[in-house]
Amino acid sequence: MIPAGLLVVIGEFFRSHDPLEEAVRGSAAALVAMVPEGLVLLTSLAFTAGALRLARHRVLVQELAAVEGLARVDVLCIDKTGTLTRPGMRVAETRVLGGWPDARIGEVLGAIAAADRAPNGTIRALADRYDALPGWTVQARAEFSSARKWSGVSFGGHGTWLLGASTVVGGTRSRLPPGIAAVIAGHEAAGRRVLLLASTGEPLDGDRLPARAESAALVVLAEELREDAAATVRYLLGQGVTIKVLSGDAPRAVAAIAGRAGIPAGGTPVDASALSEHDDEQLGRLLAAANVFGRVRPGHKLAAVRALQAAGHVVAMVGDGVNDVQALKQADLGIAMGSGSQASRSVARVVLLDGTFAAIPRMLQEGRRVIANIERVARLFVTKTVYAAIIAVAVGVAGVTYPFYPRHLTIISTLTIGVPGFFLALAPGAPLARPGFTRRVLAFTIPAGTAAATAGLAAYAIAGTTPGVSATAARTAAMLAVFTTGLWVLALIAGPVIVRIALTAAMAGSLTLLFAVPHGRQVLALQMPPASVCVQAAGVTAAAITALTLWTRWRGRPGAGDARRQRDRASASSPSER
């Protein structure tokens, strides 16, 4: 734009022999025409409208740019609990081990639930099942952590009790009482969470797990699959979104719930307990082969997001806890549950106020709708920039008068770009977003702008070389040629046939009204050229439109489409292209 602008200014002031007033007017028209001034406004409008529509569905968009991320997500990382399953759990069974009295185990579990100052879903399930009795005084406490996967409480006169994953509290399956490992495996295969309650004589020492503990009971917790989980999963998979389940529960239990929701395992469920949180390469290989991960720690979620991004994916992360904050920040799109922690809601770009997994399809649809509309609008505005730059260069090189008054460009911009662009920015439609936004826009706008510039310059040359045609009439002929080409560009990108007809007819009718009103012709400097000039100008405009149409049809033929899809797939691995 800058070189073209300098060229036209030099041509207008030093080479065209026009009066100073005409040189200033032509230079201003050329410089302003090259600026896509409304593109930023309509892009922001499209983002805002998308955010407002999502708000009606109880989805809070905290950053407008997040709407674009919604359209490009191809991997969704989720937890099992609270996402695929309903909030809350219930105690399905308590199996006493080692001869402990049933009543004693019930008292211990009730006391553990009452002692927790920040109860999670597990503790609330215990509190619903077992009553707290007086006389259980807490002397020391080790809060539950998703990193270490156990909690502990020391009671005065009642000993120290541990509750957590069986492979953590019990050490290994081989150290559990005979037959218990098989029982645990059976429950996990059915999608239930199994916790081990153990007693120890050692005092609690921070995050260090006591070395010696006696197994006392298995606590089996059951979760119910959300009614809408299976339908949501089917939609996401059908839209080409891969789902990765990252859960702290046992891999078999996670795989069972994921299978019931319709998420393909993609391989053997992975036990992440032995994986390093800092080996992104190893985790990347496992993520490429499997979709279900159990015994996941918070650091694993962050590493998983980084590994997927390194592989060229656009990653959305759904989280609700403090431990998810880093992964939510790292993800291309962080999605927090409305019922989650304040920290997770603060860093997430989108918050699901109702905490329902079923809102995600609506988010993807809205994001794709917005990006599709922005691409349409961008094609309109960049086409104007292209033909304005070409005309500016041609005028500067030839040293002739600029072929438009500023008010003529106002008519073209308003009726072929501004007003139609407003409607296109809010139009329905949700095609699958693909990489290559800039390439696709330029592939359309350069030929379209070239066609418009050619038609306008040719019409101006025809009128200017015809005896008896005034400068105003010559400029009007150029304006009509560019306007007609601009309407055709609008028709090519406007979407459904009824939308094309309505927009083009309304804009053409508006221009006709301007010519029909004498005051409008006077104010806007409109003067129809002779019929012979109109016929010739119409001929060159029709030729430009025909060439543009043939080009777009050739670009849309099956072979060319296949080539473009291959380029899109190749470019999907490039973060810069995204």
Side-chain angles (χ1 to χ4, degrees), residues 38-84:
L39 182 56
V40 174
L41 173 63
L42 289 182
T43 298
S44 300
L45 176 64
F47 281 152
T48 303
L52 291 175
R53 285 190 291 264
L54 286 172
R56 290 199 292 268
H57 295 278
R58 304 283 294 166
V59 176
L60 175 63
V61 177
Q62 303 199 109
E63 297 179 21
L64 282 183
V67 177
E68 179 184 5
L70 295 173
R72 305 193 181 281
V73 167
D74 64 345
V75 175
L76 178 66
C77 297
I78 63 174
D79 196 355
K80 170 182 68 69
T81 304
T83 303
L84 294 177

Side-chain angles (χ1 to χ4, degrees), residues 44 107 142 145 149 172 183 286 343 349 409 412 419 440 484:
S44 300
E107 292 175 359
S145 165
K149 301 194 181 303
T172 62
V183 172
L286 293 172
R349 303 176 77 187
L409 292 172
I412 296 171
V419 174
R440 289 194 304 275
T484 304

Side-chain angles (χ1 to χ4, degrees), residues 220-525:
V220 181
L221 300 169
E223 299 173 279
E224 294 184 12
L225 192 69
R226 287 183 180 270
E227 295 178 354
D228 50 21
T232 302
V233 167
R234 282 196 303 272
Y235 173 83
L236 293 173
L237 296 178
Q239 293 296 308
V241 178
T242 301
I243 302 175
K244 304 289 183 181
V245 185
L246 311 176
S247 175
D249 289 349
R252 289 181 181 176
V254 180
I257 294 294
R260 285 161 53 189
I263 300 174
T268 304
V270 177
D271 188 339
S273 59
L275 299 179
S276 170
E277 299 178 6
H278 307 290
D279 191 346
D280 292 3
E281 184 177 349
Q282 179 193 25
L283 192 53
R285 291 195 300 269
L286 293 172
L287 285 164
N291 295 330
V292 177
F293 291 73
R295 302 299 183 209
V296 171
R297 297 188 294 273
H300 287 136
K301 294 184 179 181
L302 175 61
V305 173
R306 286 199 305 254
L308 289 167
Q309 290 174 329
H313 295 290
V314 181
V315 183
M317 176 74 196
V318 181
D320 60 359
V322 175
N323 295 320
D324 297 325
V325 167
Q326 287 185 308
L328 288 171
K329 291 179 66 176
Q330 177 66 35
D332 297 284
L333 181 66
I335 303 172
M337 294 294 188
S339 57
S341 66
Q342 178 62 41
S344 65
R345 296 197 303 270
S346 298
V347 302
R349 303 176 77 187
V350 177
V351 179
L352 307 182
L353 297 178
D354 288 336
T356 171
F357 183 47
I360 292 180
R362 168 63 65 177
M363 292 166 52
L364 295 181
Q365 291 173 357
E366 193 59 53
R368 290 168 177 176
R369 170 182 181 173
V370 169
I371 292 301
N373 291 342
I374 289 175
E375 185 167 334
R376 293 190 188 107
V377 172
R379 291 185 178 192
L380 282 180
F381 279 93
V382 179
T383 294
K384 185 191 80 164
T385 297
V386 171
Y387 68 65
I390 293 175
I391 292 174
V393 170
V395 167
V397 171
V400 298
T401 303
Y402 193 74
F404 303 106
Y405 289 134
R407 62 197 102 171
H408 289 163
L409 292 172
T410 299
I411 296 172
I412 296 171
S413 297
T414 301
L415 298 183
T416 67
I417 299 171
V419 174
F422 177 82
F423 290 100
L424 293 182
L426 304 177
L432 179 63
R434 296 178 290 117
F437 178 95
T438 303
R439 185 183 65 249
R440 289 194 304 275
V441 169
L442 292 179
F444 178 85
T445 57
I446 291 176
T450 302
T454 302
L457 290 171
Y460 185 65
I462 291 170
T465 56
T466 301
V469 177
S470 66
T472 300
R475 286 186 167 100
T476 302
M479 185 274 292
L480 288 172
V482 174
F483 181 90
T484 304
T485 309
L487 275 189
W488 190 258
V489 169
L490 174 63
L492 290 176
I493 67 175
V497 174
I498 189 171
V499 176
R500 300 181 189 184
I501 295 175
L503 278 178
T504 53
M507 298 304 102
S510 299
L511 181 66
T512 303
L513 184 62
L514 293 178
F515 273 93
V517 177
H519 185 65
R521 293 197 303 271
Q522 179 182 359
V523 170
L524 297 174

